[in-house]
């Protein structure tokens, strides 16, 4: 599941007030697997507010914000987090009261006491795409035996766990993604492109994507609009090298205004494919001063 861009407004008068927890307010026992909680905000507990004995396993709590405490997690209980990435939250990753939560085999920015925890940049494919690369410290760094049980698949439906680091042992990764060196995995550098094109002329922007595996990925990019072209329109990505294509908007026959259309990046043999890119084109005209 994806829980993003939510805001809990107001300032709590009591510890149990639900204005904490921009992404999730857990007031009872719950178990969550493969959840991405990102871009949320609140007075406290921008991502998650623990107020009950809940379990988060193979989740990611990323880029959440709190005005006061617990940008990522604010805990007033003894919940558990296992195999989770808690990163890029402000003002801190976790704020804990009353001794909780229990954190093990997690990648926590700023560090956190607990078995198997690390404090290393997760090594995402792109800043906005959370697939792991082969060099990620989260690969094979989790545990196969969390208290709540291990999810059978990752967020893309890939089996969990796999031998991601090639040492002969299949160990769960930390986070929502399970790195598979043998199966192509499509990761996008952006899901929205903005292009400015003078009326009667063209404008361009680049789009980056990559294969998050050690295999070869055949791909193609298709456009919804006939005045939007991609160069090259198809190819192969070998290993994890970044592929860059040029997206060009032809404003020859476009009137002044804003146009919204779509591209699809498709890799038949890859998981997490196809993926959609929204393209916003601004057809502009000259200004004479």
């Amino acid at each position: 599941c994806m829980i993003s861009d939510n805001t809990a407004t107001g300032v709590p008068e009591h510890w149990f007030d639900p204005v904490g927890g921009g992404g999730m307010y857990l007031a009872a026992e719950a178990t969550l697997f493969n959840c991405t909680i990102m871009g949320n905000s609140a007075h406290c507990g921008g991502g998650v507010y623990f107020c009950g004995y809940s379990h988060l396993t193979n989740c990611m709590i990323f880029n959440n914000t709190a005005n006061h405490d617990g940008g990522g997690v604010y805990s007033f209980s003894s919940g558990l987090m296992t195999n989770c990435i808690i990163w890029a939250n402000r003002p801190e990753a976790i704020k804990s009261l009353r001794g909780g939560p229990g954190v093990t085999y997690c990648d926590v920015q700023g560090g956190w006491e607990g078995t198997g925890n690390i404090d290393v940049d997760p090594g995402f494919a792109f800043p906005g795409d959370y697939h792991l690369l082969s060099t990620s410290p989260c690969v094979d760094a989790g545990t196969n035996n969390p208290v709540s049980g291990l999810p059978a698949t990752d967020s893309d439906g890939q089996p969990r766990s796999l031998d991601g680091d090639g040492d002969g042992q299949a160990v769960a990764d930390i986070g929502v993604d399970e790195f598979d060196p043998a199966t192509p995995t499509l990761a996008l550098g952006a899901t929205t492109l903005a292009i400015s094109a003078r009326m009667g002329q063209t404008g361009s922007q680049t789009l980056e994507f990559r294969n998050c595996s050690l295999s070869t990925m055949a791909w193609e990019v298709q456009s919804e609009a006939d005045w939007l072209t991609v160069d090259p329109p198809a190819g192969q990505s070998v290993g994890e090298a970044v592929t860059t294509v040029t997206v060009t908007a032809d404003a020859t026959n476009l009137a002044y205004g804003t146009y919204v259309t779509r591209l699809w990046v498709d890799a038949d043999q890859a998981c997490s494919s196809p993926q959609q890119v929204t393209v916003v084109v601004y057809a502009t005209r000259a200004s004479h001063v």
Side-chain angles (χ1 to χ4, degrees):
C1 63
M2 170 75 76
I3 303 168
S4 66
D5 303 317
N6 300 289
T7 300
T9 59
V11 178
E13 296 181 7
H14 308 285
W15 63 266
F16 50 80
D17 278 352
V19 296
M24 303 188 70
Y25 183 86
L26 299 173
E29 185 171 345
T31 300
L32 293 92
F33 301 105
N34 296 332
C35 285
T36 297
I37 303 160
M38 59 170 288
N40 304 287
S41 61
H43 178 74
C44 57
V48 178
Y49 192 113
F50 272 105
C51 185
Y53 189 67
S54 297
H55 296 174
L56 269 63
T57 303
N58 284 102
C59 293
M60 185 175 69
I61 304 169
F62 182 82
N63 196 32
N64 301 283
T65 305
N67 296 332
H68 192 262
D69 289 320
V73 177
Y74 186 90
S75 176
F76 206 83
S77 66
S78 53
L80 296 176
M81 291 187 289
T82 309
N83 293 353
C84 294
I85 294 174
I86 307 155
W87 204 264
N89 301 285
R90 298 173 300 278
E92 72 276 280
I94 304 172
K95 176 67 175 182
S96 177
L97 302 177
R98 296 190 175 183
V103 181
T104 56
Y105 297 96
C106 290
D107 189 5
V108 184
Q109 187 172 22
W112 195 262
E113 183 178 354
T115 302
N117 290 336
I118 59 175
D119 176 15
V120 189
D121 190 306
F124 296 133
F126 290 105
D129 189 296
Y130 311 112
H131 290 96
L132 302 178
L133 298 175
S134 60
T135 54
S136 168
C138 296
V139 173
D140 281 21
T143 175
N144 291 337
N145 301 294
V147 171
S148 56
L150 189 70
T153 61
D154 71 358
S155 57
D156 290 327
Q158 288 286 91
R160 191 191 297 274
S161 55
L162 299 171
D163 179 15
D165 60 7
D167 67 353
Q169 302 294 321
V171 180
D173 295 351
I174 295 174
V176 298
D177 178 47
E178 186 78 7
F179 176 75
D180 184 350
T183 302
T185 301
L186 176 63
L188 285 183
T191 56
T192 302
L193 288 182
I195 301 175
S196 180
R198 184 72 59 83
M199 292 168 56
Q201 300 179 23
T202 62
S204 299
Q205 185 62 274
T206 58
L207 173 66
E208 294 183 334
F209 53 89
R210 74 195 311 170
N211 173 20
C212 299
S213 79
L214 304 180
S215 60
T216 299
M217 181 181 75
W219 56 266
E220 65 175 331
V221 185
Q222 298 178 338
S223 171
E224 183 179 62
D226 57 7
W227 43 263
L228 197 69
T229 59
V230 180
D231 184 34
Q236 287 190 335
S237 295
V238 180
E240 296 176 324
V242 174
T243 297
T244 302
V245 299
T246 301
V247 182
T248 300
D250 184 353
T252 301
N253 297 312
L254 296 183
Y256 175 78
T258 301
Y259 299 81
V260 180
T261 186
R262 294 174 292 180
L263 296 174
W264 286 272
V265 183
D266 191 5
D268 285 344
Q269 304 302 314
C271 64
S272 69
S273 174
Q275 291 200 41
Q276 178 181 299
V277 179
T278 299
V279 182
V280 182
V281 176
Y282 303 97
T284 65
R285 54 194 172 201
S287 296
H288 300 280
V289 179

